[in-house]
Amino acid sequence: MDALAGLLEGPRARGAFMIRACFDPPWAVRVEDRAPLTVMLMVRGDAWVVPDTGERLRLRAGDLAIARGPDPYTCADDPGTEPRAVILPGGECGYPDGRPLNGSMDLGVRTWGDRPDGAAVLLIGTYLVRGEIGGRLLDALPPLLSLTSEQWDCPLTPLLMAEVTRDEPGQEVVLDRLLDLLVIAALRSWFAGPSAEPPAWYRALGDPVAGRALRLLQADPAHPWTVASLAAGAGVSRAALARRFTELVGEPPMAYLTGWRLALAADRLRDTDDTLGAIARRVGYGSAFALSTAFKRVYGVSPQEYRAPTA
């Protein structure tokens, strides 16, 4: 598995929130849905994405932005326009004063805004659950990133525009897979650009020593790895592996393995109905108790609490 494939082996959308938003100026929408990841593809016109903290971003036709949650932001025709609607968790919508919109801006199947032929048209896809996006991927992204039409010509735009307003059996699954493809294609281009700041472990995958050890750990986390067995797999001494791995990744091999195992366990807790014992065996723990102890030490909650978070 190459470095990028290792990072982008997700996402896996399930019932993602996807709409075509159509507006005439002046317009502004406040987004407070706490979603882990949202993709905004500007189809027509232009818009501003204004986070509460950090640099605002202008989108023109063909540009794409990805916002990493849960921090709120505003989309508008101009940074100074006051929001007239608020997007809440679960795709619920309301007025800024808290009153529900009650469908007053619905324009048809997965279409929302002023009129279907509005001056500004955005395709918006939102992952509703963090487990649908690998934690390593989220940690590798800034709060807001963008690709201009000059940097990346999105081949999926016509297909997304055609599919988003269809109301056919299985349509949610089609849109989920298209959203996954859009995110993967966009991030592949972004990671290749000069503005990307990938995590240390991602950069280390290109090293002949640390990279080999990382691939061994990622490919088979349940194996009873030791520094000695990793060093043998990388073709170096234990001291050389420990030194090189820690220098490039920022933590020793066994500390990385613990974090990797627990991250995999966290995703399976949210993403499957597997028992804790089955998850423990899959990620390299001898028992459910051993996994539970390690999980609570790192995540601050038990696996059961993590699997069923309070609303």
Side-chain angles (χ1 to χ4, degrees):
M1 181 181 293
D2 62 53
L4 191 60
L7 193 62
L8 298 180
E9 56 187 350
R12 297 286 187 273
R14 288 172 178 80
F17 179 68
M18 182 171 280
I19 61 169
R20 181 171 64 111
C22 312
F23 299 109
D24 288 320
W27 63 271
V29 177
R30 174 82 171 165
V31 181
E32 298 180 354
D33 60 4
R34 302 189 62 80
L37 201 73
T38 297
V39 185
M40 293 163 275
L41 180 60
M42 201 77 213
V43 178
R44 182 166 65 240
D46 59 285
W48 287 88
V49 183
V50 185
D52 285 8
T53 59
E55 295 293 324
R56 62 194 186 189
L57 173 68
R58 185 168 190 177
L59 296 177
R60 295 179 173 85
D63 295 352
L64 175 142
I66 296 179
R68 173 173 60 82
D71 294 340
Y73 54 92
T74 298
C75 293
D77 69 308
D78 183 89
T81 302
E82 289 295 321
R84 69 188 199 199
V86 180
I87 308 299
L88 301 168
E92 295 296 323
C93 304
Y95 291 102
D97 62 7
R99 291 177 296 127
L101 275 170
N102 293 327
S104 62
M105 297 181 71
D106 290 349
L107 299 174
V109 177
R110 299 185 192 89
T111 303
W112 187 79
D114 296 322
R115 58 186 178 93
D117 196 31
V121 177
L122 298 92
L123 288 176
I124 302 171
T126 301
Y127 291 82
L128 302 176
V129 180
R130 181 180 171 91
E132 296 172 355
I133 301 287
R136 294 188 307 149
L137 176 56
L138 289 176
D139 293 342
L141 301 179
L144 184 64
L145 65 88
S146 68
L147 288 168
T148 68
S149 58
E150 288 78 20
Q151 294 172 303
W152 179 60
D153 181 19
C154 178
L156 296 171
T157 302
L159 185 57
L160 282 164
M161 284 291 288
E163 292 290 339
V164 73
T165 57
R166 288 186 180 176
D167 188 14
E168 298 179 3
Q171 196 64 25
E172 277 196 356
V173 176
V174 172
L175 292 173
D176 284 348
R177 297 291 76 78
L178 286 175
L179 178 58
D180 291 341
L181 288 173
L182 178 64
V183 171
I184 291 170
L187 292 180
R188 183 171 60 183
S189 294
W190 183 76
F191 270 103
S195 60
E197 296 181 2
W201 66 262
Y202 178 87
R203 296 191 300 269
L205 280 165
D207 182 77
V209 174
R212 175 60 179 162
L214 278 165
R215 288 184 177 87
L216 290 171
L217 295 176
Q218 292 177 359
D220 192 4
H223 184 80
W225 293 108
T226 64
V227 175
S229 61
L230 278 175
V236 296
S237 69
R238 286 180 294 176
L241 173 65
R243 181 174 60 252
R244 188 67 175 165
F245 194 102
T246 303
E247 175 188 348
L248 294 180
V249 180
E251 59 183 343
M254 294 299 102
Y256 174 86
L257 176 59
T258 296
W260 176 225
R261 285 172 168 171
L262 293 177
L264 291 174
D267 279 351
R268 295 200 70 79
L269 284 166
R270 287 280 177 84
D271 206 33
T272 74
D273 294 324
D274 292 353
T275 66
L276 190 57
I279 294 173
R281 291 189 296 272
R282 187 180 183 94
V283 302
Y285 281 88
S287 68
F289 177 79
L291 172 58
S292 183
T293 300
F295 194 93
K296 190 166 186 177
R297 183 172 61 248
V298 172
Y299 283 80
V301 296
S302 70
Q304 291 82 0
E305 291 169 319
Y306 185 87
R307 170 168 264 172
T310 56

